[in-house]
């Protein structure tokens, strides 16, 4: 999808009371249907994430929140698509931004891992992820309230063996390349569905002017 392509198409077509917007919207809908014909919102299948349950995945929301819980700890995974970036007129592939929280009953602090899941080139759309930051918080509610507190060194500056060990810690808790790939694909498809619904709403609005 490309909002720049849609805007450029509207300007080229011109004419009519809407400046060509309706024709451009219909052309964009046809383009999207040719590559992603599904009209139903994508959903995460429990068999694909057997270790996790879905806490939040609203069709019109941006975030996906998963939970893995047992008697010894709880793992929460929050994921959203990274902001759209362009190279010239073409949009670049979207990464997924993940935050992984690990907590234990009656034990503080809460560990937080910031990660970036990226589509691997030439691998059928599969994805892997890098850890970009590791920090901890006294309790879950303070996870986004420590802007002026020391949260540790840059992850890339840690000893390489410690970096490997920390990622292995997450993999042992089910946060692996398979989960990253699943979340990345799901978020991309979810946004496509949202975009199609936005286009259809535009089409309905501008159709009333004709």
């Amino acid at each position: 999808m490309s909002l720049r392509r849609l805007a450029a198409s509207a300007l080229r077509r011109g004419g009519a009371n809407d400046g060509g917007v309706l024709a451009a919207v219909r052309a964009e809908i046809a383009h999207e249907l040719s590559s992603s014909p599904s009209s139903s919102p994508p959903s995460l299948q429990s068999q694909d994430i057997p270790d996790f349950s879905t806490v939040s995945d609203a069709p019109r929301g941006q975030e996906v929140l998963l939970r893995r819980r047992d008697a010894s700890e709880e793992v929460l995974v929050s994921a959203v698509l990274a902001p759209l970036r362009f190279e010239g007129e073409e949009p670049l592939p979207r990464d997924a931004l993940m935050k992984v929280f690990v907590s234990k009953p009656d034990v503080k602090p809460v560990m937080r891992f910031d990660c970036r899941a990226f589509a691997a080139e030439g691998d059928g759309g599969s994805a892997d992820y890098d850890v970009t930051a590791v920090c901890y918080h006294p309790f879950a509610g303070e996870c986004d309230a420590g802007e002026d507190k020391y949260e540790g060194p840059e992850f890339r500056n840690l000893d390489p063996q410690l970096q490997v060990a920390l990622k292995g810690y997450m993999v042992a808790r089910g946060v692996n390349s398979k989960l990253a790939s699943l979340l990345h694909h799901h978020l991309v498809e979810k946004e496509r569905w949202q975009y199609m619904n936005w286009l259809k709403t535009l089409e309905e609005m501008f159709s009333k002017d004709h």
Side-chain angles (χ1 to χ4, degrees):
M1 89 181 121
S2 172
L3 296 180
R4 292 189 180 186
R5 183 179 66 235
L6 178 59
S9 179
L11 290 173
R12 285 196 305 268
R13 291 169 186 271
N17 294 332
D18 59 27
V21 172
L22 180 59
V25 166
R26 286 174 172 169
E28 184 73 354
I29 289 174
H31 173 79
E32 288 297 316
L33 287 174
S34 68
S35 58
S36 182
S38 176
S39 59
S40 301
S43 61
L44 290 168
Q45 303 301 316
S46 58
Q47 64 267 24
D48 295 328
I49 49 171
D51 296 331
F52 289 87
S53 60
T54 303
V55 177
S56 176
D57 185 23
R60 298 187 183 278
Q62 295 185 9
E63 182 189 38
V64 174
L65 183 63
L66 306 178
R67 175 189 286 129
R68 174 180 175 171
R69 177 189 288 169
D70 57 30
S72 63
E73 67 181 13
E74 178 181 80
V75 179
L76 289 173
V77 180
S78 167
V80 297
L81 279 181
L84 184 63
R85 297 179 298 124
F86 286 87
E87 187 174 276
E89 294 294 321
E90 294 300 317
L92 295 172
R94 304 283 292 277
D95 293 339
L97 304 178
M98 301 191 306
K99 291 185 183 296
V100 181
F101 302 91
V102 181
S103 60
K104 299 180 182 295
D106 302 320
V107 176
K108 298 177 181 179
V110 175
M111 291 291 299
R112 188 187 92 197
F113 299 82
D114 293 349
C115 311
R116 180 176 287 266
F118 50 89
E121 295 183 5
D123 196 19
S126 64
D128 201 352
Y129 72 93
D130 288 333
V131 182
T132 58
V134 178
C135 57
Y136 57 82
H137 306 273
F139 50 89
E142 196 179 74
C143 285
D144 293 317
E147 293 182 359
D148 57 350
K149 296 180 181 179
Y150 177 70
E151 295 188 337
E154 293 286 334
F155 185 79
R156 63 176 179 269
N157 294 333
L158 292 174
D159 179 84
Q161 290 186 341
L162 180 55
Q163 293 183 42
V164 172
L166 286 168
K167 186 165 182 179
Y169 178 85
M170 288 203 301
V171 169
R173 283 150 181 79
V175 185
N176 50 32
S177 58
K178 180 179 179 181
L179 182 67
S181 182
L182 176 71
L183 285 172
H184 184 274
H185 177 76
H186 175 71
L187 288 168
V188 169
E189 292 303 312
K190 183 178 180 179
E191 188 177 71
R192 284 178 180 169
W193 179 84
Q194 292 170 338
Y195 180 56
M196 276 294 298
N197 277 271
W198 181 80
L199 287 172
K200 289 177 180 177
T201 300
L202 280 186
E203 181 187 29
E204 182 179 351
M205 291 173 58
F206 282 99
S207 293
K208 294 177 180 179
D209 294 334
H210 286 254

